[in-house]
Amino acid sequence: MDIISNLAFGFGVALSFQNVLFALIGALIGTAIGVLPGIGPVATISLLLPITFGQPATTAIIMLAGIYYGAQYGGSTTAILLNLPGEISSVVTTLEGYKMARNGRAGAALATSALGSFFAGSVATIFVAGSGPLLTQVALSFGPADYFSLMLLGLIISAVLAQGSVVKAIAMVALGVALGLVGTDVQTGQQRFTFGIPELSDGISFVALAMGMFGIAEIILNLERPESRSVLKTKVGSLWLTKEEWKRATPSVLRGTALGSVLGILPGGGAALSSFGSYMLERKVSKGRHLFGSGAIEGVAGPEAANNAAAQTSFIPLLTLGIPSNAVMALMVGALIIQGIQPGPRMVEAQPDLFWGLIASMWIGNVMLLVINLPMIGMWVKLLQVPYKFLYPAILVFCAIGAYSVNNNVFDVYSTAMFAVIGYLFNKLRLEPAPLLIGFVLGPMMEEHLRRAMLLSRGDPMIFVQRPISATMLAIGAVALAAMLLPNLRKGKDAALAG
């Protein structure tokens, strides 16, 4: 009954005019950036961080969450109609969705994607509501050593599941942690790694790093690629599924929802890994597996359900433990900290309106996205006709204004430009920046818990293996790292992430 009363309270918060409006704005922006290839949710949320400062924390997070799961809906539109994924999690949707469109079943593919996404999102929201408070109670029993080991495990798994070399990913995590430690030491008051620059005394600006490395760097990379967008000439056709298609799609949606709900919680998991995993599962177990490669509806239903379920459940470690499971959640942590809120197990008691309001808004957002995506499909197709040469200058101007407005300091604009160049170079060197962002967010928290643990143990490092929870986390991290260094497993991981 507590969950029902809390959800009722959450709906009371989420259904306020301001929160409904911002949930709609988030859903619309998310769908738009999902439709437009090359502009993902990480880049968009990092660019929109400055807008959130003037809004209440609950309203701001509701909008940013809407952008994230809205992008999962929108990405399937271009994947099906253009064979061009708008979002990385929609890459596998192109494999069967585009072939369905070429076979005259574009409408059925789009309907399968939207309805499967809605069902998965709704189920995952219930999962978040049910498991969130339970995990919060468990997290309250954690000591500083347990938190340190849990965050270290999160960093290890985010490095292990990153694309490409594990060694490069670990190096990016280490660099992120180092950048997070720049500024004034909280305990001693001494400045460290500031090189005499007064603007760095409060640390490197999270907004500058996120906007530069993910937003502007992505724009530079997109400008290198020639535009090649041609919308499918055949009509979308009927959105209704045949009885046979319903029978084949339903089990795939159920399997995708279950898989995505679990993988979304894992650090480094998220929507992309879930959609790839679901596609591989459907190829092995679905009744229509012999049709894969020629437009199997299971190849749309499963991955689309999985990526939306994962987008919702990735909020669980953020809301209950204060630990981001992927780059988007790291941006959410940054947005909360900027608002003066420390994410973690005490959030349920300290900010119940934010916790339950966000969960309720997820279901409201899913209803909005179902309406936005099916009847308005023609509008999203027309959006693809906007040339990038008009889109990007406007985004760059917006970035410069946003970076300056945070602290009214031109140093932040220069920092954003510097991180944009660094982000571009990282991409050229095949260094994935997502582990860096997670390291940047978790680094200062890890240092704080490490110091507390060492103070409580009077300098004895054995506390990390003497506490069962901490020892278990460290053991899992060591096994995950050792396993990924094995050649066969590493090749399997790279094949899965490459689709």
Side-chain angles (χ1 to χ4, degrees), residues 4 6 12 15 18 42 50 79 125 138 159 168 170 260 269 366-367 396 430 440 445 486 489 494:
I4 294 172
N6 285 328
L15 287 170
Q18 186 178 21
V42 178
T125 301
V138 173
K168 284 183 177 180
I170 293 171
N366 273 287
V367 174
L396 286 172
R430 304 201 174 197
F440 181 78
M445 297 184 202
L486 296 174
L489 277 174
D494 291 340

Side-chain angles (χ1 to χ4, degrees), residues 342-381:
Q342 183 63 48
R346 302 200 181 276
M347 189 187 285
V348 182
E349 297 171 3
Q351 279 88 26
D353 54 335
L354 193 154
F355 186 91
W356 293 106
L358 175 61
I359 291 172
S361 77
M362 288 179 183
W363 193 82
I364 295 168
N366 273 287
V367 174
M368 289 177 175
L369 285 162
L370 190 63
V371 175
I372 288 168
N373 276 271
L374 282 181
M376 298 169 66
I377 191 68
M379 186 186 81
W380 300 118
V381 171

Side-chain angles (χ1 to χ4, degrees), residues 13-31:
V13 173
L15 287 170
S16 71
F17 176 76
Q18 186 178 21
N19 288 339
V20 169
L21 176 64
F22 275 82
L24 178 61
I25 291 170
L28 286 168
I29 293 173
T31 304

Side-chain angles (χ1 to χ4, degrees), residues 126-462:
I126 295 168
F127 184 52
V128 174
S131 62
L134 294 175
L135 278 174
T136 298
Q137 292 302 315
V138 173
L140 287 171
S141 65
F142 280 27
D146 303 323
Y147 264 114
F148 173 81
S149 298
L150 180 64
M151 290 178 182
L152 183 61
L153 172 64
L155 291 180
I156 290 170
I157 295 181
S158 68
V160 163
L161 293 178
Q163 284 183 303
S165 165
V166 175
V167 176
K168 284 183 177 180
I170 293 171
M172 293 297 280
V173 166
L175 178 59
V177 171
L179 291 173
L181 298 179
V182 172
T184 305
D185 188 309
V186 178
Q187 291 192 358
T188 65
Q190 293 289 318
Q191 291 191 11
R192 53 190 184 183
F193 312 124
T194 59
F195 301 100
I197 302 170
E199 287 86 355
L200 290 178
S201 60
D202 288 333
I204 292 172
S205 168
F206 176 81
V207 175
L209 185 143
M211 285 177 70
M213 201 164 285
F214 289 91
I216 300 177
E218 193 67 34
I219 290 171
I220 299 170
L221 288 164
N222 280 315
L223 288 173
E224 284 188 345
R225 302 173 192 136
E227 287 190 62
S228 57
R229 295 179 287 177
S230 56
V231 180
L232 191 71
K233 293 292 185 275
T234 57
K235 289 183 179 180
V236 169
S238 172
L239 295 172
W240 289 104
L241 276 68
T242 64
K243 189 176 179 180
E244 176 63 23
E245 286 172 336
W246 275 110
K247 281 178 65 178
R248 286 170 52 197
T250 302
S252 299
V253 168
L254 294 172
R255 285 190 292 265
T257 301
L259 183 68
S261 296
V262 174
L263 291 181
I265 302 171
L266 297 178
L273 188 67
S274 300
S275 62
F276 286 124
S278 175
Y279 184 78
M280 292 163 72
L281 178 67
E282 292 305 314
R283 287 194 70 160
K284 286 186 170 71
V285 304
S286 66
K287 288 183 179 178
R289 55 184 176 272
H290 60 284
L291 296 172
F292 272 71
S294 60
I297 196 167
E298 295 91 341
V300 176
E304 284 299 313
N307 69 35
N308 277 274
Q312 314 277 24
T313 58
S314 59
F315 281 90
I316 292 175
L318 169 70
L319 295 174
T320 58
L321 302 169
I323 295 176
S325 58
N326 53 50
V328 174
M329 292 302 113
L331 290 169
M332 297 286 184
V333 171
L336 287 169
I337 291 172
I338 289 167
Q339 292 272 1
I341 294 170
Q342 183 63 48
R346 302 200 181 276
M347 189 187 285
V348 182
E349 297 171 3
Q351 279 88 26
D353 54 335
L354 193 154
F355 186 91
W356 293 106
L358 175 61
I359 291 172
S361 77
M362 288 179 183
W363 193 82
I364 295 168
N366 273 287
V367 174
M368 289 177 175
L369 285 162
L370 190 63
V371 175
I372 288 168
N373 276 271
L374 282 181
M376 298 169 66
I377 191 68
M379 186 186 81
W380 300 118
V381 171
K382 281 189 170 59
L383 183 63
L384 289 163
Q385 296 170 3
V386 178
Y388 281 165
K389 63 183 178 182
F390 298 134
L391 203 59
Y392 288 148
I395 294 174
L396 286 172
V397 171
F398 179 79
C399 286
I401 295 170
Y404 178 80
S405 66
V406 176
N407 296 312
N408 292 329
N409 191 339
V410 75
F411 180 81
D412 289 342
V413 180
Y414 295 143
S415 299
T416 304
M418 181 189 74
F419 282 118
V421 174
I422 293 171
Y424 174 78
L425 293 174
F426 280 162
N427 188 277
K428 290 297 178 185
L429 296 170
R430 304 201 174 197
L431 293 164
E432 194 176 347
L436 181 146
L437 185 65
I438 295 173
F440 181 78
V441 169
L442 288 183
M445 297 184 202
M446 285 178 67
E447 182 195 22
E448 184 183 341
H449 290 298
L450 174 64
R451 282 179 162 180
R452 285 181 186 173
M454 295 302 283
L455 281 170
L456 290 172
S457 67
R458 298 186 178 183
D460 183 7
M462 293 303 291

